[in-house]
Amino acid sequence: MLEIKKISKDFGGVKAVNNCSFKVEPNTITALIGPNGAGKSTLFNLISSVIKSDTGKIFFDKKDITNLPPEKVSNAGISRLFQKARLFENLTVEDNLLLALDHTDTKFWFNLFCKTPKQTDKIQKVEKMLDMLGMKKTKNMFAKDLSYGQKRLIELGRTILNPHSFLMLDEPVAGVTPELRDKIANILIELKNQGETILLIEHDMNFTLGIADRVIVLDQGSVLIEGTPKQIKNNKQVLKAYLGE
Amino acid sequence: MLSAYIIHLLILIGIYLILCLSLQLALGYTGLLNLGHIAFYAIGAYTSALLTLSGVPFIVSFLMAGIVSALFGYLLAFSTNKLKGDYLALATLGFTFVIYAIALNWTDLTNGALGLAGIPKPDLGILQIKSNAFYLFFVSITAVFSYLIINKIVKSPFGKVLEAIRDDELAVRILGKNTFKIKNYSLAVSAFFAGIAGSLYAHYITFIDPSSFGFMQIIPILSIVIIGGIASLRGTVLATFVLVLLPEPLRFIGFPSSVVGPVRQIIYALMLLLILMYRPKGFYGKVSLE
Ligand SMILES: Nc1ncnc2c1ncn2[C@@H]1O[C@H](COP(=O)(O)OP(=O)(O)OP(=O)(O)O)[C@@H](O)[C@H]1O
Ligand SMILES: [Mg+2]
């Protein structure tokens, strides 16, 4: 589904991602783990083209998507959650989610001259998502008035609603309560059962190893090792990378 | 004549309303820190004046003022696409200087510092707008129309995309939307209405010269947008009335008009400062200035 080939990114001498290669198979949850600064988020940024790679190629569904504009990567079918909150703070929760559904809202003349199209079916989709997240009561709240955990959930909802065939989630459960964590785990497993493919960055080992089919360990910008959660759990190299010497 | 004076003030308010509402679209709703709004106003004023002076019917010139400004708005957005925040502000301010310099130096076209005199009052074929009361009527209709259009845009889903771009452009792109195109539209529409306001100004005063379009002219407009509140059309309307009328009593206390101008600037600056200190969201804004 996704294939990374020898990708590198240098930030003024810091090799954030260094000759990194791996594949993600369809209908799996693949976890990308590794110590702080290993280059996980940078890798996400390279895939979604938020930053441009120095060398290497990225293929999605056999198509070369290396360094396309971010909106083209998105429209190729990749939906992504950032590590840091990126909701539209001054819009309501509902509007935040509606924006993700399709692009009729970008058509200027249509929006100017046509009677604002009834968005009932879209609103239904949004309400269904809010229901699944247990966030119905926040529908008309401004995003900036939400708590951190609520923001994370809404952002996750927005990422899932954005049409895609591939989900990339950067630390979806960092800093959320244990109950919420279980809820998100269930949502992700449910999505996989519906046929979705998910690439996940997460520090919480219990969470990650609990839901992942495959684990890729990143250290200093390259793949250290990959395998099943079981293999990774007992691997000495992984422990060393995490704990230092 | 008090009523003539009030009509004059209302005409000015109408023109300012169009100018400020359209700046609100680009600045408040889309987050484009556009300091070049006066340039679009100037382009509209000159386009309309030059066209009518060479015999083109008023209504055509009036619309062309908007269209030519919109084209410039599109071009400006196109060429400053990569710029954000302060850099965009500087680039658009630079655009004001360029347009000002053209108005001043391309004397064959603009008559330079001497300006264009004898700009005809609007002639709508069957209707000739000679009296100021009638002009006020025309300005009011245009202002209401502008309000309705801009309101329709900001309330539509397209308007939500604009606000999303203001809050976090990258996140909008990650949702798969081409923000470049959207910002071009926003600035073009904003410029369209500024151009129309320029035309209304030119045909009201019947004389324009570059001094009406210096970069300092952005200050009252920007003040109104900020004081009314970012992303609030209601606030913009209220602030336009308040800020245009506020300095007026000075005239009655007997200040000479040469003093009224600078004092007005000071009043605006003070108002702006007070608002930023005590009410950073303006009259009705929901977005605080960062
Ligand atoms: N825009 C940037 N400019 C300069 N250096 C950067 C930039 N982004 C990341 N880096 C550096 O690249 C390295 C990898 O960062 P990255 O954010 O990818 O790590 P990470 O694995 O996501 O870590 P964490 O688990 O803390 O989120 C770090 O040394 C970081 O300081
Ligand atoms: Mg990270």
PDB file of all heavy atoms in Angstrom, chain B residues 26-62:
ATOM      1  N   ALA B  26     -10.876  39.713   3.399  1.00  0.00           N
ATOM      2  CA  ALA B  26      -9.509  39.220   3.192  1.00  0.00           C
ATOM      3  C   ALA B  26      -8.768  39.084   4.516  1.00  0.00           C
ATOM      4  O   ALA B  26      -8.132  38.072   4.789  1.00  0.00           O
ATOM      5  CB  ALA B  26      -8.756  40.162   2.260  1.00  0.00           C
ATOM      6  N   LEU B  27      -8.880  40.110   5.340  1.00  0.00           N
ATOM      7  CA  LEU B  27      -8.078  40.130   6.562  1.00  0.00           C
ATOM      8  C   LEU B  27      -8.714  39.335   7.695  1.00  0.00           C
ATOM      9  O   LEU B  27      -8.097  38.449   8.276  1.00  0.00           O
ATOM     10  CB  LEU B  27      -7.856  41.582   6.980  1.00  0.00           C
ATOM     11  CG  LEU B  27      -6.830  41.811   8.081  1.00  0.00           C
ATOM     12  CD1 LEU B  27      -6.055  43.080   7.825  1.00  0.00           C
ATOM     13  CD2 LEU B  27      -7.481  41.894   9.449  1.00  0.00           C
ATOM     14  N   GLY B  28      -9.977  39.629   7.985  1.00  0.00           N
ATOM     15  CA  GLY B  28     -10.616  39.013   9.126  1.00  0.00           C
ATOM     16  C   GLY B  28     -11.002  37.565   8.886  1.00  0.00           C
ATOM     17  O   GLY B  28     -10.845  36.725   9.758  1.00  0.00           O
ATOM     18  N   TYR B  29     -11.509  37.302   7.695  1.00  0.00           N
ATOM     19  CA  TYR B  29     -12.002  35.947   7.438  1.00  0.00           C
ATOM     20  C   TYR B  29     -10.930  35.026   6.867  1.00  0.00           C
ATOM     21  O   TYR B  29     -10.924  33.838   7.148  1.00  0.00           O
ATOM     22  CB  TYR B  29     -13.220  35.970   6.513  1.00  0.00           C
ATOM     23  CG  TYR B  29     -14.471  36.407   7.245  1.00  0.00           C
ATOM     24  CD1 TYR B  29     -14.848  37.743   7.293  1.00  0.00           C
ATOM     25  CD2 TYR B  29     -15.253  35.484   7.926  1.00  0.00           C
ATOM     26  CE1 TYR B  29     -15.971  38.150   7.995  1.00  0.00           C
ATOM     27  CE2 TYR B  29     -16.381  35.875   8.625  1.00  0.00           C
ATOM     28  CZ  TYR B  29     -16.732  37.206   8.654  1.00  0.00           C
ATOM     29  OH  TYR B  29     -17.844  37.602   9.356  1.00  0.00           O
ATOM     30  N   THR B  30     -10.052  35.579   6.032  1.00  0.00           N
ATOM     31  CA  THR B  30      -9.080  34.698   5.388  1.00  0.00           C
ATOM     32  C   THR B  30      -7.714  34.785   6.058  1.00  0.00           C
ATOM     33  O   THR B  30      -6.844  33.958   5.812  1.00  0.00           O
ATOM     34  CB  THR B  30      -8.958  35.038   3.890  1.00  0.00           C
ATOM     35  OG1 THR B  30     -10.243  35.377   3.394  1.00  0.00           O
ATOM     36  CG2 THR B  30      -8.415  33.869   3.103  1.00  0.00           C
ATOM     37  N   GLY B  31      -7.540  35.810   6.903  1.00  0.00           N
ATOM     38  CA  GLY B  31      -6.263  35.948   7.599  1.00  0.00           C
ATOM     39  C   GLY B  31      -5.147  36.479   6.726  1.00  0.00           C
ATOM     40  O   GLY B  31      -3.977  36.329   7.047  1.00  0.00           O
ATOM     41  N   LEU B  32      -5.523  37.103   5.596  1.00  0.00           N
ATOM     42  CA  LEU B  32      -4.498  37.697   4.740  1.00  0.00           C
ATOM     43  C   LEU B  32      -4.246  39.116   5.222  1.00  0.00           C
ATOM     44  O   LEU B  32      -5.115  39.973   5.101  1.00  0.00           O
ATOM     45  CB  LEU B  32      -4.970  37.720   3.282  1.00  0.00           C
ATOM     46  CG  LEU B  32      -5.282  36.363   2.659  1.00  0.00           C
ATOM     47  CD1 LEU B  32      -5.989  36.540   1.317  1.00  0.00           C
ATOM     48  CD2 LEU B  32      -4.002  35.566   2.487  1.00  0.00           C
ATOM     49  N   LEU B  33      -3.074  39.356   5.760  1.00  0.00           N
ATOM     50  CA  LEU B  33      -2.767  40.673   6.300  1.00  0.00           C
ATOM     51  C   LEU B  33      -2.475  41.609   5.135  1.00  0.00           C
ATOM     52  O   LEU B  33      -1.345  41.911   4.813  1.00  0.00           O
ATOM     53  CB  LEU B  33      -1.576  40.569   7.256  1.00  0.00           C
ATOM     54  CG  LEU B  33      -1.350  41.723   8.207  1.00  0.00           C
ATOM     55  CD1 LEU B  33      -2.659  42.213   8.806  1.00  0.00           C
ATOM     56  CD2 LEU B  33      -0.405  41.308   9.301  1.00  0.00           C
ATOM     57  N   ASN B  34      -3.549  42.033   4.494  1.00  0.00           N
ATOM     58  CA  ASN B  34      -3.429  42.808   3.264  1.00  0.00           C
ATOM     59  C   ASN B  34      -3.428  44.301   3.571  1.00  0.00           C
ATOM     60  O   ASN B  34      -4.444  44.872   3.926  1.00  0.00           O
ATOM     61  CB  ASN B  34      -4.605  42.457   2.347  1.00  0.00           C
ATOM     62  CG  ASN B  34      -4.711  43.394   1.169  1.00  0.00           C
ATOM     63  OD1 ASN B  34      -3.718  44.000   0.763  1.00  0.00           O
ATOM     64  ND2 ASN B  34      -5.900  43.524   0.627  1.00  0.00           N
ATOM     65  N   LEU B  35      -2.269  44.942   3.431  1.00  0.00           N
ATOM     66  CA  LEU B  35      -2.190  46.386   3.632  1.00  0.00           C
ATOM     67  C   LEU B  35      -2.268  47.126   2.300  1.00  0.00           C
ATOM     68  O   LEU B  35      -2.007  48.312   2.222  1.00  0.00           O
ATOM     69  CB  LEU B  35      -0.900  46.749   4.374  1.00  0.00           C
ATOM     70  CG  LEU B  35      -0.744  46.125   5.761  1.00  0.00           C
ATOM     71  CD1 LEU B  35       0.519  46.641   6.439  1.00  0.00           C
ATOM     72  CD2 LEU B  35      -1.952  46.422   6.642  1.00  0.00           C
ATOM     73  N   GLY B  36      -2.621  46.404   1.242  1.00  0.00           N
ATOM     74  CA  GLY B  36      -2.667  47.021  -0.081  1.00  0.00           C
ATOM     75  C   GLY B  36      -4.076  47.384  -0.517  1.00  0.00           C
ATOM     76  O   GLY B  36      -4.312  47.674  -1.685  1.00  0.00           O
ATOM     77  N   HIS B  37      -4.987  47.394   0.440  1.00  0.00           N
ATOM     78  CA  HIS B  37      -6.384  47.620   0.085  1.00  0.00           C
ATOM     79  C   HIS B  37      -6.600  48.980  -0.586  1.00  0.00           C
ATOM     80  O   HIS B  37      -7.429  49.114  -1.492  1.00  0.00           O
ATOM     81  CB  HIS B  37      -7.237  47.513   1.348  1.00  0.00           C
ATOM     82  CG  HIS B  37      -8.632  47.037   1.081  1.00  0.00           C
ATOM     83  ND1 HIS B  37      -8.908  45.884   0.383  1.00  0.00           N
ATOM     84  CD2 HIS B  37      -9.831  47.558   1.410  1.00  0.00           C
ATOM     85  CE1 HIS B  37     -10.223  45.726   0.298  1.00  0.00           C
ATOM     86  NE2 HIS B  37     -10.797  46.727   0.907  1.00  0.00           N
ATOM     87  N   ILE B  38      -5.852  49.986  -0.115  1.00  0.00           N
ATOM     88  CA  ILE B  38      -5.971  51.326  -0.697  1.00  0.00           C
ATOM     89  C   ILE B  38      -5.610  51.322  -2.176  1.00  0.00           C
ATOM     90  O   ILE B  38      -6.188  52.071  -2.969  1.00  0.00           O
ATOM     91  CB  ILE B  38      -5.046  52.302   0.075  1.00  0.00           C
ATOM     92  CG1 ILE B  38      -5.608  52.547   1.471  1.00  0.00           C
ATOM     93  CG2 ILE B  38      -4.891  53.619  -0.659  1.00  0.00           C
ATOM     94  CD1 ILE B  38      -6.998  53.159   1.470  1.00  0.00           C
ATOM     95  N   ALA B  39      -4.679  50.454  -2.550  1.00  0.00           N
ATOM     96  CA  ALA B  39      -4.286  50.383  -3.962  1.00  0.00           C
ATOM     97  C   ALA B  39      -5.470  49.951  -4.822  1.00  0.00           C
ATOM     98  O   ALA B  39      -5.687  50.492  -5.912  1.00  0.00           O
ATOM     99  CB  ALA B  39      -3.121  49.417  -4.127  1.00  0.00           C
ATOM    100  N   PHE B  40      -6.268  49.006  -4.323  1.00  0.00           N
ATOM    101  CA  PHE B  40      -7.448  48.568  -5.092  1.00  0.00           C
ATOM    102  C   PHE B  40      -8.477  49.689  -5.183  1.00  0.00           C
ATOM    103  O   PHE B  40      -9.139  49.866  -6.205  1.00  0.00           O
ATOM    104  CB  PHE B  40      -8.081  47.334  -4.443  1.00  0.00           C
ATOM    105  CG  PHE B  40      -7.138  46.173  -4.323  1.00  0.00           C
ATOM    106  CD1 PHE B  40      -6.996  45.494  -3.132  1.00  0.00           C
ATOM    107  CD2 PHE B  40      -6.384  45.777  -5.414  1.00  0.00           C
ATOM    108  CE1 PHE B  40      -6.129  44.419  -3.023  1.00  0.00           C
ATOM    109  CE2 PHE B  40      -5.506  44.705  -5.327  1.00  0.00           C
ATOM    110  CZ  PHE B  40      -5.384  44.028  -4.121  1.00  0.00           C
ATOM    111  N   TYR B  41      -8.598  50.407  -4.100  1.00  0.00           N
ATOM    112  CA  TYR B  41      -9.480  51.588  -4.041  1.00  0.00           C
ATOM    113  C   TYR B  41      -9.039  52.584  -5.111  1.00  0.00           C
ATOM    114  O   TYR B  41      -9.860  53.097  -5.890  1.00  0.00           O
ATOM    115  CB  TYR B  41      -9.340  52.166  -2.636  1.00  0.00           C
ATOM    116  CG  TYR B  41     -10.234  53.315  -2.243  1.00  0.00           C
ATOM    117  CD1 TYR B  41     -11.609  53.252  -2.395  1.00  0.00           C
ATOM    118  CD2 TYR B  41      -9.674  54.458  -1.658  1.00  0.00           C
ATOM    119  CE1 TYR B  41     -12.408  54.305  -1.969  1.00  0.00           C
ATOM    120  CE2 TYR B  41     -10.463  55.498  -1.225  1.00  0.00           C
ATOM    121  CZ  TYR B  41     -11.837  55.429  -1.393  1.00  0.00           C
ATOM    122  OH  TYR B  41     -12.615  56.461  -0.965  1.00  0.00           O
ATOM    123  N   ALA B  42      -7.727  52.814  -5.185  1.00  0.00           N
ATOM    124  CA  ALA B  42      -7.174  53.744  -6.171  1.00  0.00           C
ATOM    125  C   ALA B  42      -7.409  53.234  -7.588  1.00  0.00           C
ATOM    126  O   ALA B  42      -7.842  53.993  -8.474  1.00  0.00           O
ATOM    127  CB  ALA B  42      -5.675  53.935  -5.931  1.00  0.00           C
ATOM    128  N   ILE B  43      -7.143  51.956  -7.798  1.00  0.00           N
ATOM    129  CA  ILE B  43      -7.316  51.381  -9.139  1.00  0.00           C
ATOM    130  C   ILE B  43      -8.771  51.540  -9.581  1.00  0.00           C
ATOM    131  O   ILE B  43      -9.058  51.929 -10.718  1.00  0.00           O
ATOM    132  CB  ILE B  43      -6.897  49.890  -9.148  1.00  0.00           C
ATOM    133  CG1 ILE B  43      -5.384  49.777  -8.959  1.00  0.00           C
ATOM    134  CG2 ILE B  43      -7.328  49.218 -10.446  1.00  0.00           C
ATOM    135  CD1 ILE B  43      -4.882  48.377  -8.667  1.00  0.00           C
ATOM    136  N   GLY B  44      -9.690  51.286  -8.662  1.00  0.00           N
ATOM    137  CA  GLY B  44     -11.106  51.455  -8.982  1.00  0.00           C
ATOM    138  C   GLY B  44     -11.440  52.899  -9.325  1.00  0.00           C
ATOM    139  O   GLY B  44     -12.128  53.179 -10.310  1.00  0.00           O
ATOM    140  N   ALA B  45     -10.939  53.814  -8.511  1.00  0.00           N
ATOM    141  CA  ALA B  45     -11.231  55.235  -8.724  1.00  0.00           C
ATOM    142  C   ALA B  45     -10.689  55.699 -10.078  1.00  0.00           C
ATOM    143  O   ALA B  45     -11.403  56.332 -10.873  1.00  0.00           O
ATOM    144  CB  ALA B  45     -10.619  56.067  -7.600  1.00  0.00           C
ATOM    145  N   TYR B  46      -9.447  55.351 -10.380  1.00  0.00           N
ATOM    146  CA  TYR B  46      -8.840  55.790 -11.640  1.00  0.00           C
ATOM    147  C   TYR B  46      -9.493  55.112 -12.845  1.00  0.00           C
ATOM    148  O   TYR B  46      -9.740  55.749 -13.861  1.00  0.00           O
ATOM    149  CB  TYR B  46      -7.324  55.529 -11.625  1.00  0.00           C
ATOM    150  CG  TYR B  46      -6.557  56.701 -11.029  1.00  0.00           C
ATOM    151  CD1 TYR B  46      -6.167  56.705  -9.702  1.00  0.00           C
ATOM    152  CD2 TYR B  46      -6.250  57.811 -11.818  1.00  0.00           C
ATOM    153  CE1 TYR B  46      -5.483  57.772  -9.156  1.00  0.00           C
ATOM    154  CE2 TYR B  46      -5.553  58.897 -11.280  1.00  0.00           C
ATOM    155  CZ  TYR B  46      -5.172  58.873  -9.949  1.00  0.00           C
ATOM    156  OH  TYR B  46      -4.506  59.938  -9.425  1.00  0.00           O
ATOM    157  N   THR B  47      -9.768  53.821 -12.715  1.00  0.00           N
ATOM    158  CA  THR B  47     -10.389  53.104 -13.836  1.00  0.00           C
ATOM    159  C   THR B  47     -11.708  53.760 -14.199  1.00  0.00           C
ATOM    160  O   THR B  47     -11.972  54.103 -15.356  1.00  0.00           O
ATOM    161  CB  THR B  47     -10.652  51.632 -13.450  1.00  0.00           C
ATOM    162  OG1 THR B  47      -9.423  51.034 -13.061  1.00  0.00           O
ATOM    163  CG2 THR B  47     -11.247  50.864 -14.604  1.00  0.00           C
ATOM    164  N   SER B  48     -12.525  53.970 -13.174  1.00  0.00           N
ATOM    165  CA  SER B  48     -13.849  54.515 -13.417  1.00  0.00           C
ATOM    166  C   SER B  48     -13.766  55.940 -13.955  1.00  0.00           C
ATOM    167  O   SER B  48     -14.469  56.311 -14.902  1.00  0.00           O
ATOM    168  CB  SER B  48     -14.625  54.467 -12.105  1.00  0.00           C
ATOM    169  OG  SER B  48     -15.974  54.723 -12.325  1.00  0.00           O
ATOM    170  N   ALA B  49     -12.878  56.739 -13.354  1.00  0.00           N
ATOM    171  CA  ALA B  49     -12.747  58.134 -13.790  1.00  0.00           C
ATOM    172  C   ALA B  49     -12.277  58.198 -15.237  1.00  0.00           C
ATOM    173  O   ALA B  49     -12.861  58.908 -16.070  1.00  0.00           O
ATOM    174  CB  ALA B  49     -11.769  58.870 -12.878  1.00  0.00           C
ATOM    175  N   LEU B  50     -11.227  57.446 -15.553  1.00  0.00           N
ATOM    176  CA  LEU B  50     -10.668  57.499 -16.907  1.00  0.00           C
ATOM    177  C   LEU B  50     -11.675  57.015 -17.941  1.00  0.00           C
ATOM    178  O   LEU B  50     -11.806  57.607 -19.016  1.00  0.00           O
ATOM    179  CB  LEU B  50      -9.387  56.655 -16.976  1.00  0.00           C
ATOM    180  CG  LEU B  50      -8.185  57.275 -16.273  1.00  0.00           C
ATOM    181  CD1 LEU B  50      -7.044  56.275 -16.145  1.00  0.00           C
ATOM    182  CD2 LEU B  50      -7.722  58.524 -17.033  1.00  0.00           C
ATOM    183  N   LEU B  51     -12.399  55.958 -17.598  1.00  0.00           N
ATOM    184  CA  LEU B  51     -13.362  55.423 -18.560  1.00  0.00           C
ATOM    185  C   LEU B  51     -14.486  56.411 -18.808  1.00  0.00           C
ATOM    186  O   LEU B  51     -14.824  56.702 -19.960  1.00  0.00           O
ATOM    187  CB  LEU B  51     -13.923  54.082 -18.071  1.00  0.00           C
ATOM    188  CG  LEU B  51     -12.961  52.888 -18.166  1.00  0.00           C
ATOM    189  CD1 LEU B  51     -13.589  51.638 -17.561  1.00  0.00           C
ATOM    190  CD2 LEU B  51     -12.572  52.629 -19.630  1.00  0.00           C
ATOM    191  N   THR B  52     -15.059  56.968 -17.761  1.00  0.00           N
ATOM    192  CA  THR B  52     -16.175  57.902 -17.991  1.00  0.00           C
ATOM    193  C   THR B  52     -15.681  59.161 -18.688  1.00  0.00           C
ATOM    194  O   THR B  52     -16.376  59.702 -19.539  1.00  0.00           O
ATOM    195  CB  THR B  52     -16.878  58.318 -16.686  1.00  0.00           C
ATOM    196  OG1 THR B  52     -15.905  58.572 -15.691  1.00  0.00           O
ATOM    197  CG2 THR B  52     -17.836  57.261 -16.197  1.00  0.00           C
ATOM    198  N   LEU B  53     -14.474  59.601 -18.340  1.00  0.00           N
ATOM    199  CA  LEU B  53     -13.942  60.806 -18.987  1.00  0.00           C
ATOM    200  C   LEU B  53     -13.730  60.585 -20.481  1.00  0.00           C
ATOM    201  O   LEU B  53     -13.769  61.516 -21.265  1.00  0.00           O
ATOM    202  CB  LEU B  53     -12.628  61.239 -18.325  1.00  0.00           C
ATOM    203  CG  LEU B  53     -12.791  61.961 -16.977  1.00  0.00           C
ATOM    204  CD1 LEU B  53     -11.440  62.183 -16.316  1.00  0.00           C
ATOM    205  CD2 LEU B  53     -13.535  63.282 -17.161  1.00  0.00           C
ATOM    206  N   SER B  54     -13.515  59.308 -20.864  1.00  0.00           N
ATOM    207  CA  SER B  54     -13.367  59.072 -22.295  1.00  0.00           C
ATOM    208  C   SER B  54     -14.673  58.580 -22.913  1.00  0.00           C
ATOM    209  O   SER B  54     -14.676  57.985 -23.981  1.00  0.00           O
ATOM    210  CB  SER B  54     -12.227  58.086 -22.558  1.00  0.00           C
ATOM    211  OG  SER B  54     -12.484  56.879 -21.885  1.00  0.00           O
ATOM    212  N   GLY B  55     -15.774  58.809 -22.207  1.00  0.00           N
ATOM    213  CA  GLY B  55     -17.080  58.612 -22.826  1.00  0.00           C
ATOM    214  C   GLY B  55     -17.772  57.291 -22.555  1.00  0.00           C
ATOM    215  O   GLY B  55     -18.860  57.053 -23.049  1.00  0.00           O
ATOM    216  N   VAL B  56     -17.142  56.415 -21.788  1.00  0.00           N
ATOM    217  CA  VAL B  56     -17.801  55.147 -21.476  1.00  0.00           C
ATOM    218  C   VAL B  56     -18.936  55.420 -20.492  1.00  0.00           C
ATOM    219  O   VAL B  56     -18.776  56.215 -19.570  1.00  0.00           O
ATOM    220  CB  VAL B  56     -16.779  54.161 -20.866  1.00  0.00           C
ATOM    221  CG1 VAL B  56     -17.452  52.858 -20.455  1.00  0.00           C
ATOM    222  CG2 VAL B  56     -15.640  53.904 -21.841  1.00  0.00           C
ATOM    223  N   PRO B  57     -20.097  54.769 -20.662  1.00  0.00           N
ATOM    224  CA  PRO B  57     -21.214  55.009 -19.739  1.00  0.00           C
ATOM    225  C   PRO B  57     -20.823  54.697 -18.296  1.00  0.00           C
ATOM    226  O   PRO B  57     -20.014  53.798 -18.048  1.00  0.00           O
ATOM    227  CB  PRO B  57     -22.294  54.036 -20.218  1.00  0.00           C
ATOM    228  CG  PRO B  57     -21.912  53.655 -21.588  1.00  0.00           C
ATOM    229  CD  PRO B  57     -20.442  53.844 -21.727  1.00  0.00           C
ATOM    230  N   PHE B  58     -21.432  55.437 -17.381  1.00  0.00           N
ATOM    231  CA  PHE B  58     -21.061  55.293 -15.971  1.00  0.00           C
ATOM    232  C   PHE B  58     -21.175  53.863 -15.481  1.00  0.00           C
ATOM    233  O   PHE B  58     -20.258  53.334 -14.855  1.00  0.00           O
ATOM    234  CB  PHE B  58     -21.925  56.206 -15.089  1.00  0.00           C
ATOM    235  CG  PHE B  58     -21.796  55.865 -13.627  1.00  0.00           C
ATOM    236  CD1 PHE B  58     -20.665  56.240 -12.911  1.00  0.00           C
ATOM    237  CD2 PHE B  58     -22.782  55.138 -12.963  1.00  0.00           C
ATOM    238  CE1 PHE B  58     -20.519  55.909 -11.579  1.00  0.00           C
ATOM    239  CE2 PHE B  58     -22.645  54.798 -11.630  1.00  0.00           C
ATOM    240  CZ  PHE B  58     -21.508  55.187 -10.937  1.00  0.00           C
ATOM    241  N   ILE B  59     -22.283  53.221 -15.772  1.00  0.00           N
ATOM    242  CA  ILE B  59     -22.526  51.921 -15.156  1.00  0.00           C
ATOM    243  C   ILE B  59     -21.480  50.902 -15.603  1.00  0.00           C
ATOM    244  O   ILE B  59     -21.034  50.058 -14.818  1.00  0.00           O
ATOM    245  CB  ILE B  59     -23.979  51.428 -15.426  1.00  0.00           C
ATOM    246  CG1 ILE B  59     -24.364  50.345 -14.424  1.00  0.00           C
ATOM    247  CG2 ILE B  59     -24.181  50.969 -16.838  1.00  0.00           C
ATOM    248  CD1 ILE B  59     -24.561  50.879 -13.029  1.00  0.00           C
ATOM    249  N   VAL B  60     -21.031  51.031 -16.852  1.00  0.00           N
ATOM    250  CA  VAL B  60     -19.971  50.144 -17.348  1.00  0.00           C
ATOM    251  C   VAL B  60     -18.662  50.450 -16.619  1.00  0.00           C
ATOM    252  O   VAL B  60     -17.952  49.548 -16.154  1.00  0.00           O
ATOM    253  CB  VAL B  60     -19.792  50.317 -18.872  1.00  0.00           C
ATOM    254  CG1 VAL B  60     -18.631  49.464 -19.369  1.00  0.00           C
ATOM    255  CG2 VAL B  60     -21.071  49.954 -19.600  1.00  0.00           C
ATOM    256  N   SER B  61     -18.356  51.739 -16.492  1.00  0.00           N
ATOM    257  CA  SER B  61     -17.117  52.147 -15.817  1.00  0.00           C
ATOM    258  C   SER B  61     -17.115  51.684 -14.367  1.00  0.00           C
ATOM    259  O   SER B  61     -16.092  51.235 -13.842  1.00  0.00           O
ATOM    260  CB  SER B  61     -16.972  53.671 -15.830  1.00  0.00           C
ATOM    261  OG  SER B  61     -17.211  54.168 -17.109  1.00  0.00           O
ATOM    262  N   PHE B  62     -18.273  51.822 -13.751  1.00  0.00           N
ATOM    263  CA  PHE B  62     -18.442  51.440 -12.350  1.00  0.00           C
ATOM    264  C   PHE B  62     -18.124  49.948 -12.165  1.00  0.00           C
ATOM    265  O   PHE B  62     -17.347  49.553 -11.296  1.00  0.00           O
ATOM    266  CB  PHE B  62     -19.893  51.756 -11.960  1.00  0.00           C
ATOM    267  CG  PHE B  62     -20.299  51.334 -10.587  1.00  0.00           C
ATOM    268  CD1 PHE B  62     -19.737  51.942  -9.470  1.00  0.00           C
ATOM    269  CD2 PHE B  62     -21.268  50.353 -10.403  1.00  0.00           C
ATOM    270  CE1 PHE B  62     -20.134  51.564  -8.188  1.00  0.00           C
ATOM    271  CE2 PHE B  62     -21.668  49.980  -9.132  1.00  0.00           C
ATOM    272  CZ  PHE B  62     -21.098  50.582  -8.023  1.00  0.00           C
TER     273      PHE B  62
END
